[in-house]
Amino acid sequence: MRMWMEGGEEMKGAMGLRCGWDPPPIDAQAKWVRLNVGGTVFLTTRQTLCREQKSFLCRLCQGEELQSDRDETGAYLIDRDPTYFGPILNFLRHGKLVLDKDMAEEGVLEEAEFYNIGPLIRIIKDRLEEKDYTVTQVPPKHVYRVLQCQEEELTQMVSTMSDGWRFEQLVNIGSCYSYGNEDQTEFLCVVSKELYNSSNGLSSESSHKAKEESQTPAPCPKG
């Protein structure tokens, strides 16, 4: 189509005039979603919200049987705590759970269950179970035994220790007995062992042995 100005001069490019700005494409407008969570507005994409197909957020932005009010800006109104929504939204963005040091995992779990985000629920529950196990784990109990032996028996006794027992201390208590013309030196040998608690009690040693916190050697006879 040609247009002519007065005087017969052709107006070139009249049909190619454009305005100073272009409205965003319809697809781009539909890509972004505003969420008003407890008074705090979050801006994200439909692709992010639909990363978990069965989640409340995916169903919300797809309009599946969920009637949600909107504020004056068109953002979906969600009556939940915005404090814990940030980690949930970030999880949908990159698949990792990142929390501030003062944020309670239990609070994020509560919101993850509300929004029905299965993988995040499993991650938080695993972390909480691991934390509970660390807190409730009882440190090992040290059991000590004091054994009395003669000098000639000492080397054999130390070399044959097994079942987790280890040498701690050797105390020379002098000569208590005389055999012929030789005095036999007596020693107190202190050994120890670590016992770990289990659901059935001490697992590495029976309970009656565990009571041997200190075994006093028999006194030397007076001759």
Side-chain angles (χ1 to χ4, degrees):
M1 177 179 179
R2 291 185 174 183
M3 296 186 66
W4 301 86
M5 296 193 316
E6 185 178 357
E9 184 177 356
E10 182 179 1
M11 180 185 292
K12 296 181 180 180
M15 299 301 294
L17 295 176
R18 297 172 61 103
C19 59
W21 57 274
D22 294 327
I26 296 177
D27 290 342
Q29 294 179 22
K31 176 182 178 181
W32 291 94
V33 179
R34 294 169 64 89
L35 303 172
N36 186 333
V37 183
T40 302
V41 176
F42 295 86
L43 182 64
T44 186
T45 64
R46 293 182 183 275
Q47 181 181 3
T48 296
L49 296 179
C50 292
R51 191 145 294 165
E52 288 299 321
Q53 296 293 324
K54 296 181 180 180
S55 71
F56 168 87
L57 297 172
C58 179
R59 295 171 59 196
L60 178 68
C61 67
Q62 289 182 346
E64 294 184 4
E65 302 177 359
L66 293 178
Q67 299 296 327
S68 177
D69 294 332
R70 302 198 183 202
D71 64 13
E72 63 278 3
T73 67
Y76 290 103
L77 288 168
I78 303 176
D79 186 21
R80 301 297 293 185
D81 191 341
T83 304
Y84 302 109
F85 186 74
I88 289 176
L89 185 57
N90 284 331
F91 178 81
L92 293 175
R93 286 167 173 159
H94 49 61
K96 296 180 181 180
L97 176 60
V98 181
L99 300 178
D100 293 337
K101 62 179 181 178
D102 297 328
M103 182 168 291
E105 293 175 327
E106 292 83 356
V108 182
L109 175 60
E110 183 71 22
E111 297 305 298
E113 290 176 339
F114 172 81
Y115 294 112
N116 193 30
I117 303 176
L120 180 57
I121 294 172
R122 290 190 291 271
I123 290 175
I124 300 176
K125 285 186 174 180
D126 289 343
R127 288 176 59 162
L128 290 175
E129 289 178 1
E130 182 179 353
K131 184 183 297 184
D132 290 341
Y133 174 77
T134 303
V135 172
T136 57
Q137 188 178 24
V138 180
K141 180 182 293 185
H142 287 80
V143 177
Y144 294 89
R145 287 182 177 178
V146 181
L147 307 176
Q148 185 174 354
C149 61
Q150 297 178 1
E151 183 176 5
E152 61 184 13
E153 303 169 337
L154 183 61
T155 302
Q156 180 181 1
M157 185 196 68
V158 174
S159 62
T160 56
M161 281 195 305
S162 61
D163 195 26
W165 290 98
R166 65 180 183 181
F167 175 78
E168 293 287 348
Q169 187 177 4
L170 185 66
V171 180
N172 188 335
I173 59 175
S175 300
C176 292
Y177 301 96
S178 294
Y179 298 92
N181 296 326
E182 297 182 359
D183 290 335
Q184 295 293 325
T185 304
E186 297 286 325
F187 293 91
L188 296 181
C189 183
V190 183
V191 296
S192 69
K193 183 177 183 179
E194 289 184 347
L195 298 180
Y196 291 87
N197 286 340
S198 66
S199 58
N200 296 323
L202 298 178
S203 59
S204 59
E205 187 87 356
S206 61
S207 59
H208 73 278
K209 288 185 178 181
K211 295 179 181 178
E212 299 181 23
E213 289 287 335
S214 178
Q215 178 179 327
T216 305
C220 298
K222 296 181 180 179

